[in-house]
Amino acid sequence: MSALHGIWRKIRRATGGRRALGVHVALVLVIVLVAVFAGRLAPMDPYAANLAEAFQPPSAEHWFGTDKLGRDIASRIIHGARISLTSAMILVLVIFVLGSLLGVVAGCFGGLADAVIMRICDMMISFPGIVLAIAVAGLLGASIRNAIIAIAVVSWTKYARLARSLVLKIRHSDFVTAAELNGIRPGRLMRRYLLPSALPTLVITAATDIGTMMLELAGLSFLGFGAQPPQAEWGLMLNEGRANLLDSPWLMIFPGAAICVTVVVFNLLGDALRDVLDPRRAGRDEDLVELARAPLP
């Protein structure tokens, strides 16, 4: 009976993980569809100013109220989903590809390539990430494109170190040793064995990082180093509304809620992917991510 009970628990856990994944994928699709069809879903023009309706509280006409120029907050949030989500996905794609490739190369070939890549990672993580990103964005100029570049410069190291840790762990496996004894080339070894084995954990990390990168982009925009007026971007909307927080709190409440909901949804998606793709390593992946952030001895 105990054996049957254990099997039933495993089946229930597996199907529950897939059900949770389906729910979270559906929520992500809703956010993506809002961003794609923002022009049709927005009730008004997000850039149309009407000073006569400035600082209107939420109502049937303006669901989330209006800002200091009389622009509809709901329409700006809907259009802001397009800018914020696209920017975050581009950023995650860049750091995922660059960091994973460099990490796999470092773990696979070792030697000088490993030393150079890891020393660069050590230099990058020796500075506070957001401070370095602000410095890079300040040098490049304030824009959403430069904000993506600035955060990418300081964020790729996590993927490089994580990929290296995963590759080194797989590198000494029996099947890799057998492939090397059969004369497999390093490039084929990396493509056929090392990269596919490390990819699930990297994909899980990337899915979770979409929300994190969106939060960092919003932070740069809030500080004035990201999106610039009159763009409808959530971080910029928070910056524009902070001066009127006491009199018109909806200027910050609704953009902040949009950021929080999106970040939570993508974090839950990453957790669900982790449980489905590799349930046995669900706990150890977080340790590898933390290890990737720590400096090498």
Side-chain angles (χ1 to χ4, degrees):
M1 292 297 293
S2 60
L4 291 175
H5 182 66
I7 294 173
W8 168 249
R9 287 179 59 188
K10 291 181 180 179
I11 294 174
R12 186 173 60 179
R13 189 182 301 117
T15 56
R18 290 184 175 87
R19 188 182 303 114
L21 178 62
V23 172
H24 299 142
V25 168
L27 292 175
V28 169
L29 285 176
V30 170
I31 297 174
V32 172
L33 289 175
V34 168
V36 171
F37 297 104
R40 297 185 179 182
L41 294 175
M44 298 182 182
D45 185 351
Y47 300 106
N50 185 359
L51 295 178
E53 296 185 353
F55 297 115
Q56 292 291 320
S59 62
E61 183 180 2
H62 301 285
W63 302 338
F64 297 162
T66 61
D67 62 6
K68 62 182 178 181
L69 298 178
R71 297 173 298 191
D72 185 63
I73 296 295
S75 300
R76 290 181 62 79
I77 289 177
I78 292 173
H79 277 266
R82 178 180 296 175
I83 297 176
S84 299
L85 190 61
T86 303
S87 303
M89 286 186 170
I90 292 174
L91 175 57
V92 170
L93 180 63
V94 170
I95 62 177
F96 171 79
V97 173
L98 177 62
S100 299
L101 180 61
L102 292 176
V104 170
V105 169
C108 181
F109 294 99
L112 181 61
D114 184 21
V116 171
I117 294 173
M118 289 301 105
R119 294 295 79 77
I120 294 175
C121 289
D122 287 343
M123 289 188 296
M124 298 300 298
I125 66 175
S126 62
F127 298 95
I130 190 63
V131 175
L132 186 57
I134 290 173
V136 174
L139 290 174
L140 296 177
S143 70
I144 193 68
R145 182 189 64 182
N146 292 339
I148 293 174
I149 295 173
I151 297 177
V153 167
V154 302
S155 300
W156 65 270
T157 56
K158 179 176 73 172
Y159 287 87
R161 298 174 67 83
L162 178 59
R164 177 181 179 272
S165 300
L166 294 168
V167 167
L168 288 178
K169 183 178 179 181
I170 303 165
R171 190 76 169 79
H172 303 290
S173 301
D174 293 338
F175 69 91
V176 174
T177 304
E180 290 178 330
L181 290 176
N182 288 328
I184 190 171
R185 294 181 179 179
R188 182 174 174 80
L189 175 67
M190 183 173 63
R191 292 193 307 270
R192 184 169 182 179
Y193 295 105
L194 300 181
L195 187 57
S197 299
L199 200 57
T201 301
L202 295 171
V203 169
I204 293 166
T205 305
T208 306
D209 270 355
I210 292 176
T212 304
M213 294 300 108
M214 183 178 296
L215 201 59
E216 293 192 8
L217 286 169
L220 284 184
S221 296
F222 179 81
L223 295 174
F225 294 100
Q228 297 298 301
Q231 283 184 303
E233 197 272 341
W234 293 340
L236 179 60
M237 292 175 68
L238 288 175
N239 184 28
E240 292 175 340
R242 64 187 175 90
N244 305 100
L245 175 60
L246 296 179
D247 299 329
S248 306
W250 59 86
L251 295 179
M252 295 193 71
I253 289 176
F254 293 111
I259 294 174
C260 290
V261 169
T262 306
V263 170
V264 168
V265 166
F266 278 102
N267 286 342
L268 291 175
L269 175 65
D271 291 340
L273 279 173
R274 181 191 62 193
D275 295 338
V276 170
L277 291 178
D278 200 352
R280 295 174 299 172
R281 285 166 42 182
R284 299 202 300 271
D285 286 344
E286 296 179 358
D287 297 335
L288 284 172
V289 173
E290 292 300 325
L291 180 63
R293 294 173 177 168
L296 288 174

